[in-house]
């Protein structure tokens, strides 16, 4: 659990920090900066993630750090798009215009007005990405591209259990069930937080 959750929590944090910041910059400043950032994100999205993971595994080896940074890199575009969309929606609202009228600079408006309102929905979306990263780590370990033995992970345990699936199915079924329940839990937490913040915003 420790290894699998480390990958699934730390990888989205990389994407959230880098992609979230780039998305806020693209949505706030627009123009050439936005076009450049969007083009870079499109290139990353178009690049086959499995090829990147194969290259990293081949040249750098299959270990925890490489897997976290590789998966984190692949999550940057999705966080960038969510943050950019939210920033575009916020940029024309009254509180941003009021901040401009008070003489606040662009960086002040961005980090005091925009980023605090973007980080909550992006973080909630991050919980969905966490659930996806759990499944991705399991699939990669099953294919031999994730955490190598003897370091334990849910995907590695499932892969090891396939050799004795006829005699002892519980070897694979138990980690698979734990992975399933963890993924469902993160999805439910994300849905609950989104509903809570939507109700709070309507009350305001």
């Amino acid at each position: 659990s420790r290894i699998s959750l480390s990958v699934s929590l730390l990888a989205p944090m990389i994407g959230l920090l880098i992609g979230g910041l780039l998305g806020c910059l693209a949505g706030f400043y627009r123009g050439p900066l936005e076009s450049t950032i969007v083009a870079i994100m499109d290139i990353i999205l178009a690049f086959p993630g499995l090829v990147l993971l194969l290259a990293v595994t081949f040249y750098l080896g299959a270990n925890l750090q490489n897997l976290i940074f590789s998966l984190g890199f692949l999550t940057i575009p999705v966080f960038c798009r969510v943050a950019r969309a939210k920033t575009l929606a916020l940029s024309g609202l009254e509180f941003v215009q009021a901040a401009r009228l008070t003489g606040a600079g662009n960086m002040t408006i961005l980090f005091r007005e925009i980023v605090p309102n973007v980080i909550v929905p992006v973080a909630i979306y991050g919980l969905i990405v966490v659930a996806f990263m759990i499944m991705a780590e399991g699939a990669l370990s099953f294919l031999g591209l994730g955490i190598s033995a003897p370091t334990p992970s849910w995907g590695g345990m499932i892969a090891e259990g396939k050799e004795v699936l006829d005699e002892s199915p519980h070897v694979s079924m138990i980690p698979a069930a734990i992975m399933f329940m963890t993924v469902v839990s993160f999805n439910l937490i994300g849905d609950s937080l989104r509903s809570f913040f939507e109700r709070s915003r309507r009350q305001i």
Side-chain angles (χ1 to χ4, degrees):
S1 299
R2 179 174 59 86
I3 298 298
S4 298
L5 290 176
S6 295
V7 173
S8 61
L9 292 172
L10 293 177
M13 285 182 63
I14 296 174
L16 190 151
L17 292 174
I18 300 176
L21 179 60
L22 291 176
C24 289
L25 291 173
F28 185 74
Y29 284 102
R30 311 295 299 276
L33 179 61
E34 181 186 25
S35 301
T36 302
I37 292 175
V38 170
I40 293 172
M41 295 302 108
D42 288 340
I43 292 172
I44 297 175
L45 284 173
F47 191 83
L50 188 58
V51 174
L52 173 65
L53 293 167
L54 282 170
V56 171
T57 301
F58 180 77
Y59 288 106
L60 301 179
N63 55 51
L64 181 61
Q65 292 80 9
N66 292 338
L67 183 61
I68 289 173
F69 283 109
S70 299
L71 291 176
F73 176 77
L74 294 175
T75 63
I76 290 175
V78 294
F79 282 106
C80 181
R81 288 188 166 189
V82 173
R84 174 175 169 267
K86 189 64 178 177
T87 302
L88 289 172
L90 293 171
S91 296
L93 296 183
E94 290 80 1
F95 69 95
V96 175
Q97 301 301 324
R100 290 187 186 280
L101 293 175
T102 60
N106 286 335
M107 295 299 292
T108 301
I109 295 173
L110 179 63
F111 285 99
R112 287 188 179 179
E113 306 294 342
I114 301 293
V115 171
N117 288 284
V118 169
I119 194 169
V120 172
V122 172
I124 293 174
Y125 178 75
L127 292 174
I128 300 175
V129 179
V130 167
F132 177 77
M133 287 294 104
I134 293 174
M135 295 186 292
E137 185 277 327
L140 292 171
S141 296
F142 188 84
L143 295 173
L145 300 176
I147 309 299
S148 57
T151 305
S153 70
W154 288 332
M157 295 169 69
I158 295 171
E160 292 175 1
K162 75 178 187 297
E163 304 295 337
V164 293
L165 199 58
D166 293 336
E167 301 173 359
S168 304
H170 66 278
V171 177
S172 288
M173 292 299 106
I174 290 176
I178 296 298
M179 181 186 295
F180 169 77
M181 289 187 290
T182 305
V183 169
V184 171
S185 298
F186 275 109
N187 283 328
L188 292 176
I189 292 171
D191 290 338
S192 298
L193 288 175
R194 184 175 65 249
S195 300
F196 172 77
F197 283 106
E198 286 179 353
R199 288 196 302 269
S200 300
R201 187 163 56 247
R202 285 196 295 265
Q203 290 174 359
I204 294 172

